[in-house]
Amino acid sequence: MPESPSAPSSTTVPFRDLHRLHRIHGDASRAALLAAVESREYTRPNPIIEEFERRWAAYCGVRHAIATTSGSAALLMAYMTLGISPGDEIVTVPNTFVATAEAALLLGATVRLADIDPLTHTVDQDSARKLFGPRTKAVVPFHAYGRLAEIDALTAEARAAGIAVVEEACQAHGAARDGRKAGAWGDCAVFSFGPTKVFAGMGEGGAVVTDDDELADKLRLLNTHGLKGRLHTALGFSFRIHPMEAAYLTARLDVLPALLTERRALAVRYTEAFAPFGVVHNPRVADLEEHGLYVYVIDVPDRDAFCARLTEAGVGWDIHYRAALHQQPAHQERFRDAEVPACDERQGQIVSLPMINGLEEAEVAHVVDRVTDALDAVTRSAR
């Protein structure tokens, strides 16, 4: 079954529309990009990159941001700076993107998988805490689909044990709880600015953010080949973001609050329509400010039948992620002993619905009506 289906329908709404997303605030974004090109500010240290880092750190409510080439690079840098190496362990969840584990595995560390809370799809704190041991170097909670994970108890126990907390916030731009944004909860956090994100760059991009001055200094040193003054004082490399990408992102930051407001309004519309079917879990939060709505996920019975109905009705859909870490061919043997029943159950039910900035009212109504029809059909069949 195709992940980006089209079907004979008078109204077709794709799962994702990057043309529409990047047209929003497009003139200002292109003007910023052109100004960066014409500035000839291509060398390092680079004022365009530094301006973006200042702006992104301030937005997240922390003192430091170190911009990188991608979210995957940000993860690797964070783990390296924390000293993760062979013999160490990290604890994370199985329903995250593979890079969360890959970066640690590439450093020779062991990854241990905690289960998820079935109502939020984020880390089950008790499950994660049970995995802490003398070799645990970091716990990496994933803000699934943009929803801030509940990590208060987990963070308190981790810090008491000398375990670092690395927020995997690659999908959670702008999510906040009690006025505190994603990126300001852990020892550090990693973000991705890939082109499909709510806060989207032209291609790739990422950042590590932190309030820890010493950690920030180490990250910067690592990302400049260990260069201090004119001498290389430590091992390092370059995962630095390109100035053109930084300029584009700085302009996009001006429109991020409006993009989030629009997506949260769409989530309210969806939730009101679909909640009677008992399928709305991940968006269920006390305040939608806690959710960055990278994707809107529901849990449905008989997913194949449900998705077939959406395809026929001209409504795009996707699955995030089609296979969890322990189900991926590259990792099945490594994680064969993982006990994650809640994740296993949800993984066979999750479906992501169109969450597109700039949808017209007729398109929204079409999605709501067709999804409601499909839910009615599959839930009746499941009784």
Side-chain angles (χ1 to χ4, degrees):
M1 189 176 293
E3 291 192 18
S4 300
S6 59
S9 172
S10 57
T11 305
T12 299
V13 182
F15 171 71
R16 178 174 285 134
D17 189 338
L18 299 188
H19 291 285
R20 195 171 338 203
L21 174 63
H22 287 268
R23 278 200 302 267
I24 298 170
H25 204 60
D27 289 345
S29 301
R30 286 189 293 273
L33 181 60
L34 180 59
V37 172
E38 293 181 343
S39 74
R40 307 299 188 264
E41 293 283 2
Y42 305 150
T43 59
R44 273 80 169 185
N46 188 279
I48 297 171
I49 294 174
E50 290 168 356
E51 173 63 13
F52 170 65
E53 291 175 332
R54 283 193 295 272
R55 290 279 305 277
W56 184 242
Y59 180 83
C60 294
V62 297
R63 288 195 294 271
H64 307 282
I66 295 85
T68 65
T69 52
S70 68
S72 299
L75 276 162
L76 184 59
M77 283 181 54
Y79 292 168
M80 290 181 70
T81 304
L82 291 169
I84 293 172
S85 59
D88 293 330
E89 294 180 352
I90 74 161
V91 174
T92 191
V93 289
N95 64 331
T96 184
F97 186 57
V98 292
T100 310
E102 280 176 331
L105 294 169
L106 288 169
L107 295 174
T110 297
V111 177
R112 306 195 69 192
L113 298 181
D115 207 357
I116 64 170
D117 180 328
L119 294 184
T120 66
H121 298 209
T122 62
V123 64
D124 180 292
Q125 297 190 83
D126 288 337
S127 176
R129 287 151 65 189
K130 289 175 183 176
L131 297 177
F132 287 178
R135 296 169 57 195
T136 309
K137 199 69 170 280
V139 59
V140 190
F142 172 48
H143 299 319
Y145 320 131
R147 186 196 196 283
L148 276 183
E150 307 284 347
I151 57 172
D152 289 348
L154 184 64
T155 298
E157 186 161 332
R159 286 179 171 159
I163 297 169
V165 178
V166 180
E167 295 175 68
E168 214 287 18
C170 288
Q171 300 179 357
H173 314 86
R177 182 180 297 129
D178 299 326
R180 193 174 171 190
K181 284 194 172 70
W185 294 81
D187 295 281
C188 64
V190 296
F191 288 93
S192 166
F193 309 125
T196 67
K197 299 298 194 296
V198 185
F199 184 39
M202 297 179 295
E204 294 292 342
V208 187
V209 303
T210 183
D211 233 6
D212 186 316
D213 297 340
E214 183 179 355
L215 189 60
D217 288 343
K218 290 179 179 179
L219 285 161
R220 293 190 180 101
L221 196 64
L222 178 64
N223 206 21
T224 53
H225 297 286
L227 189 64
K228 194 170 186 179
R230 293 182 175 274
L231 297 175
H232 297 272
T233 61
L235 288 176
F237 45 75
S238 173
F239 276 154
R240 293 171 295 197
I241 198 169
H242 195 283
M244 305 303 104
E245 189 76 72
Y248 189 82
L249 285 165
T250 300
R252 300 298 296 172
L253 189 51
D254 291 336
V255 76
L256 178 57
L259 295 176
L260 289 169
T261 296
E262 182 183 358
R263 293 170 91 93
R264 287 166 180 153
L266 180 56
V268 169
R269 182 87 173 265
Y270 282 174
T271 300
E272 289 175 348
F274 309 147
F277 297 94
V279 298
V280 176
H281 296 117
N282 178 256
R284 185 179 294 166
V285 289
D287 183 344
L288 266 175
E289 293 292 316
E290 296 181 27
H291 208 313
L293 273 304
Y294 171 58
V295 287
Y296 186 101
V297 176
I298 60 176
D299 306 326
V300 298
D302 197 351
R303 184 170 66 190
D304 288 347
F306 174 80
C307 292
R309 286 179 175 273
L310 293 193
T311 298
E312 179 63 26
V315 174
W317 54 272
D318 204 341
I319 298 171
H320 291 81
Y321 295 101
R322 191 168 291 275
L325 280 173
H326 65 298
Q327 299 165 341
Q328 296 285 352
H331 302 292
Q332 285 175 333
E333 180 62 22
R334 178 177 290 111
F335 297 126
R336 67 184 181 278
D337 295 328
E339 296 181 8
V340 288
C343 179
D344 287 337
E345 181 181 5
R346 289 300 181 214
Q347 209 63 30
Q349 300 173 338
I350 53 175
V351 180
S352 301
L353 301 178
M355 178 52 63
I356 299 172
N357 286 101
L359 282 182
E360 297 177 1
E361 172 55 32
E363 294 174 309
V364 175
H366 182 71
V367 173
V368 169
D369 290 346
R370 299 292 77 80
V371 171
T372 300
D373 291 344
L375 286 173
D376 184 59
V378 297
T379 53
R380 276 190 290 107
S381 305
R383 293 189 188 116

